[in-house]
Amino acid sequence: MIVTHIGGPTVLVELGGWRLLTDPTFDPAEGHYRFGWGTSSNKLAGPAVAAADLAPIDAVLLTHDHHGDNLDAAGRALLPSAGAVLTTVSGARRLGLSHARGLTAGSRSLLEAPGKPSIEVTATPARHGPPLSRTIVGDVVGFMLRCNGRVLWITGDTVLHRGLKAVAGRLQVDVAIVHMGGVRFPITGPVRYTLTARRAVDLLTVVRPRVVVPVHYEGWSHFKDGRVAAERAIENAPEEVRRSVRWLPIGEPAHIE
């Protein structure tokens, strides 16, 4: 498996001959993005790899389509050329693409192509904020991929909640791509909308993947738990969690066995 962290939540995964892209964000830095209900953020860093340099993309794994830090204008322009787009049910409807597939937590979809091993994709639960916030922040999913006996999990933007804990306790994961950052906005005070470093450690203590790749902790002004906070929390984690975390140099392909 080759994993390239392009920036933010955007990751290229090369697996079994497949080229899979998560949450495409390719706009340049310095943009201001509104997320609704008085929340917004500034983009502080552009992508380490241009979208034009990634073709072809066999499938896009889009955790949600309605926030600019997970799908921006340049990322949206890439979607029609991808072989498939897997996202939420509401997102697939909004995108209006014939090759977009909408998934809910627990539902499955199969990626198939001549000469490549099939990939079974299962949507995993995600809640992008505090209890009862779904009607405001919208639907989000994570993705669990099975291919050639290996399991890759992409958490998506989520906090640690009961539904996620229940699923996490049953997962057997080789590689986990974990969205961190501890998103917070001035208008909602201390409320968090993604995993803080401490909550990410709590989740990893349950799941215990062999390799953990942190993403979505940099490049935006609304991240309040950056790499320094994450490293501090991981230093105090169980040894198995500490040994599993792998910080990828942004823009550089990394082989993960």
Side-chain angles (χ1 to χ4, degrees):
M1 183 187 305
I2 301 175
V3 178
T4 306
H5 185 193
I6 294 168
T10 310
V11 179
L12 176 67
V13 178
E14 298 172 79
L15 174 65
W18 292 87
R19 292 172 60 82
L20 311 171
L21 188 68
T22 70
D23 288 355
T25 54
F26 291 96
D27 285 357
E30 300 184 2
H32 182 74
Y33 296 75
R34 298 187 182 279
F35 301 139
W37 299 87
T39 62
S40 64
S41 184
N42 298 318
K43 189 170 186 180
L44 306 177
V49 182
D53 295 334
L54 292 178
I57 297 299
D58 297 306
V60 171
L61 304 170
L62 178 59
T63 64
H64 57 303
D65 70 301
H66 52 282
H67 291 156
D69 62 327
N70 294 84
L71 181 67
D72 57 21
R76 194 176 293 271
L78 175 149
L79 297 183
S81 65
V85 178
L86 278 61
T87 188
T88 63
V89 171
S90 58
R93 185 168 57 248
R94 283 188 293 266
L95 291 175
L97 299 171
S98 61
H99 60 301
R101 310 179 193 178
L103 302 176
T104 59
S107 63
R108 298 179 180 180
S109 187
L110 196 63
L111 296 174
E112 295 180 292
K116 298 177 183 179
S118 61
I119 300 179
E120 181 187 74
V121 182
T122 303
T124 58
R127 195 184 76 204
H128 201 354
L132 305 179
S133 64
R134 190 179 304 276
T135 56
I136 297 174
V137 299
D139 293 330
V140 181
V141 292
F143 300 101
M144 185 173 66
L145 283 64
R146 297 181 183 274
C147 180
N148 284 342
R150 304 185 70 185
V151 177
L152 168 68
W153 182 35
I154 301 156
T155 65
D157 282 6
T158 186
V159 297
L160 187 57
H161 59 97
R162 184 178 300 175
L164 182 58
K165 288 180 181 178
V167 170
R170 302 193 299 268
L171 294 180
Q172 293 183 334
V173 177
D174 295 300
V175 179
I177 295 175
V178 181
H179 291 215
M180 296 188 182
V183 165
R184 190 173 65 193
F185 299 102
I187 196 170
T188 52
V191 174
R192 301 296 184 122
Y193 294 88
T194 60
L195 289 168
T196 63
R198 290 180 61 185
R199 289 302 188 189
V201 167
D202 290 342
L203 176 62
L204 296 174
T205 301
V206 175
V207 180
R208 296 186 180 274
R210 185 171 49 78
V211 179
V212 174
V213 177
V215 300
H216 215 21
Y217 58 84
E218 45 66 48
W220 291 84
S221 63
H222 61 319
F223 292 136
K224 304 307 178 185
D225 272 22
R227 178 165 175 172
V228 172
E231 288 180 331
R232 188 180 304 120
I234 290 165
E235 285 176 2
N236 297 314
E239 181 181 358
E240 188 174 355
V241 173
R242 292 199 307 270
R243 287 191 285 104
S244 69
V245 176
R246 185 169 173 183
W247 297 94
L248 300 188
I250 294 178
E252 297 183 16
H255 290 263
I256 298 178
E257 300 298 333

